[in-house]
Amino acid sequence: LGGNAEYMAKAKMEKMGFEPRLIVEATGHGDTTDEEIINARNTYNELYKQFKGTAETSAVPFLVSSDFV
């Protein structure tokens, strides 16, 4: 099946050099005016959408055979 979009987005952010605290803040919903956190949230949201689409389209459909004789 496809991967976990949240995990993949966070892993990509880590590879992009985001600090762990910003990755945590990226998935938070608290009010902030901190530009670093806002940037991290925007990046996370874009990556999540990207990976969510990938995860959904790569999922293998489950087929059931009903060949009873």
Side-chain angles (χ1 to χ4, degrees):
L1 296 177
N4 179 310
E6 181 179 353
Y7 172 80
M8 292 189 305
K10 288 178 179 180
K12 179 68 174 182
M13 288 181 72
E14 185 175 352
K15 289 179 183 177
M16 293 170 71
F18 280 88
E19 297 174 23
R21 72 170 185 86
L22 288 175
I23 296 172
V24 170
E25 289 286 352
T27 59
H29 301 287
D31 292 337
T32 186
T33 57
D34 185 319
E35 288 298 321
E36 277 188 308
I37 294 172
I38 293 169
N39 179 50
R41 287 181 180 171
N42 290 336
T43 300
Y44 171 81
N45 288 330
E46 288 301 316
L47 291 171
Y48 181 85
K49 287 178 193 173
Q50 175 187 337
F51 289 122
K52 181 77 171 167
T54 302
E56 288 176 354
T57 59
S58 67
V60 178
F62 184 79
L63 301 176
V64 178
S65 176
S66 60
D67 294 335
F68 294 103
V69 178

